[in-house]
């Protein structure tokens, strides 16, 4: 599943390449589900000029001159490709937009193998409501304080890994980046969140900012399934810089890395560096 660095990369690249283009054709393939319905969806997009591209958590928002937004959530297997108009339609394409600006033409292909993604037209008011569903992002640009982070994290009595994945508490951390942040902060993923002291949550916030910042700088993580590629079809390279995720030996103490399902998510941790302390 694409996480914040991957979605950030896609949204940033779209922002550089599609603003000012007019949508001349909308195609929904094989009755793929769009919201509110196919007829309204097409009508809202056709002949609209793209004025901006935003990101809210893991949502991509393509702003239209009408004031509405085309919301895209990639879910587990969504991809976005920007190609020339004559390129072959990629496999699993569900929605495509033909774009034009003067003599320049492009096509955006939205693919979704497992069809769990969301493609919807929403209003500016709905964007405000969407933002309220998510907690603050632990990225360098965020103004979240150590005190607020500590309060949010310790408000839950479940394990810290589960809390970090709860987008209503802290948004943007998915399985990979939460795993690596916990390793950097030396926190066992099964530690009860309400047992963490301010010093530890401070380290955890710093670690979260570090892994997300590095993930963005490295243009996201592409795993063996190749489910994440950027809009040009290129792989990210943050997978070459994982801290503990996917490793068999701790890079710090050389202890054998443990792997287990925590809150139904595959989790890697060092039993020596990340000792469980729930007393």
């Amino acid at each position: 599943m694409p996480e914040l660095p991957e979605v950030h990369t896609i949204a940033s690249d779209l922002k550089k390449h599609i603003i000012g283009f007019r949508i001349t054709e909308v195609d929904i393939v094989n009755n793929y589900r769009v919201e509110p319905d196919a007829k309204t969806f097409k009508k809202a997009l056709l002949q609209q000029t793209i004025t901006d591209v935003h990101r809210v958590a893991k949502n991509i928002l393509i702003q239209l001159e009408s004031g509405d937004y085309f919301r895209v959530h990639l879910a587990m297997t969504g991809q976005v490709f920007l190609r020339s108009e004559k390129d072959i339609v990629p496999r699993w394409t569900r929605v495509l937009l033909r774009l034009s600006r003067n003599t320049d033409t492009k096509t955006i292909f939205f693919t979704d193998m497992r069809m769990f993604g969301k493609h919807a037209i929403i209003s500016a008011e709905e964007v405000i409501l969407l933002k309220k569903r998510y907690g603050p992002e632990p990225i360098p640009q965020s103004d979240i304080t150590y005190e607020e982070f500590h309060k949010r994290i310790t408000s839950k009595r479940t394990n810290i890994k589960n809390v970090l994945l709860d987008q209503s508490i802290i948004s943007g951390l998915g399985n990979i980046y939460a795993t690596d942040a916990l390793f950097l902060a030396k926190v066992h993923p099964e530690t009860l969140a309400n047992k963490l002291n301010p010093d530890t949550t401070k380290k955890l916030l710093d670690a979260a900012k570090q892994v997300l910042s590095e993930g963005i700088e490295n243009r996201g993580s592409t795993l063996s399934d190749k489910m994440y590629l950027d809009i040009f079809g290129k792989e990210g390279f943050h997978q070459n810089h994982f801290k503990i995720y996917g490793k068999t030996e701790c890079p710090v103490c050389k202890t054998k890395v443990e792997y287990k399902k925590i809150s139904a998510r595959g989790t890697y941790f060092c039993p020596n560096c990340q000792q469980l302390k729930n007393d």
Side-chain angles (χ1 to χ4, degrees):
M1 177 184 293
E3 301 182 21
L4 186 148
E6 292 76 47
V7 177
H8 180 93
T9 300
I10 292 169
S12 296
D13 286 348
L14 286 175
K15 187 180 181 74
K16 293 176 184 176
H17 292 278
I18 67 172
I19 289 177
F21 277 78
R22 181 168 52 88
I23 301 168
T24 58
E25 182 182 339
V26 180
D27 191 8
I28 303 168
V29 181
N30 294 330
N31 296 315
Y32 181 70
R33 183 176 62 86
V34 296
E35 297 179 5
D37 58 73
K39 183 178 180 180
T40 305
F41 182 86
K42 286 186 175 182
K43 184 177 180 180
L45 289 170
L46 275 174
Q47 303 306 319
Q48 287 291 313
T49 298
I50 296 168
T51 59
D52 210 344
V53 180
H54 309 273
R55 179 185 59 79
V56 174
K58 298 177 187 178
N59 297 274
I60 300 166
L61 299 179
I62 298 175
Q63 187 173 351
L64 309 171
E65 63 178 329
S66 65
D68 287 336
Y69 293 78
F70 174 23
R71 175 194 174 194
V72 180
H73 193 291
L74 301 175
M76 295 181 67
T77 60
Q79 297 175 310
V80 183
F81 299 115
L82 182 66
R83 298 182 178 175
S84 69
E85 189 174 9
K86 296 181 180 180
D87 278 346
I88 296 173
V89 177
R91 189 180 183 187
W92 302 311
T93 292
R94 308 300 178 187
V95 176
L96 67 84
L97 305 182
R98 305 286 188 189
L99 309 180
S100 175
R101 186 177 65 186
N102 300 323
T103 59
D104 194 1
T105 57
K106 299 179 180 181
T107 303
I108 309 178
F109 299 94
F110 299 92
T111 75
D112 188 0
M113 181 179 71
R114 297 186 66 181
M115 297 195 294
F116 292 149
K118 180 179 286 290
H119 296 72
I121 301 299
I122 62 174
S123 66
E125 291 76 17
E126 288 173 305
V127 171
I128 295 172
L129 295 176
L130 180 68
K131 291 178 179 179
K132 290 181 178 180
R133 288 169 47 186
Y134 296 97
E137 297 177 347
I139 56 177
Q141 300 92 327
S142 173
D143 58 0
I144 183 173
T145 63
Y146 291 121
E147 293 76 17
E148 182 184 358
F149 184 79
H150 177 76
K151 183 178 179 180
R152 284 177 168 272
I153 291 296
T154 57
S155 67
K156 300 295 181 178
R157 296 186 178 184
T158 185
N159 68 71
I160 183 59
K161 177 71 181 297
N162 195 37
V163 172
L164 291 179
L165 296 180
D166 186 336
Q167 301 300 295
S168 67
I169 300 173
I170 296 293
S171 69
L173 284 170
N175 191 42
I176 292 172
Y177 297 94
T179 295
D180 276 1
L182 288 167
F183 173 71
L184 287 181
K186 294 181 167 49
V187 177
H188 192 286
E190 291 180 304
T191 302
L192 294 176
N194 64 326
K195 297 289 186 179
L196 296 174
N197 60 45
D199 183 59
T200 301
T201 56
K202 179 179 183 298
K203 292 177 181 177
L204 186 54
L205 176 56
D206 289 339
K209 287 183 176 182
Q210 179 181 333
V211 296
L212 289 177
S213 179
E214 290 177 1
I216 291 170
E217 183 179 350
N218 293 324
R219 295 185 61 79
S221 305
T222 301
L223 304 182
S224 59
D225 60 8
K226 309 299 181 186
M227 277 296 103
Y228 167 68
L229 300 171
D230 69 16
I231 65 172
F232 310 109
K234 296 180 180 179
E235 297 182 10
F237 46 93
H238 187 65
Q239 64 275 11
N240 302 319
H241 304 278
F242 288 161
K243 310 303 180 186
I244 195 74
Y245 187 88
K247 297 188 181 297
T248 57
E249 181 182 87
C250 175
V252 175
C253 70
K254 307 307 178 184
T255 298
K256 182 181 178 180
V257 170
E258 289 191 16
Y259 171 86
K260 67 185 299 186
K261 288 288 186 71
I262 300 175
S263 301
R265 305 301 296 273
T267 304
Y268 299 82
F269 61 94
C270 173
N272 181 47
C273 295
Q274 298 169 265
Q275 295 183 18
L276 183 60
K277 301 174 182 177
N278 276 334
D279 298 331

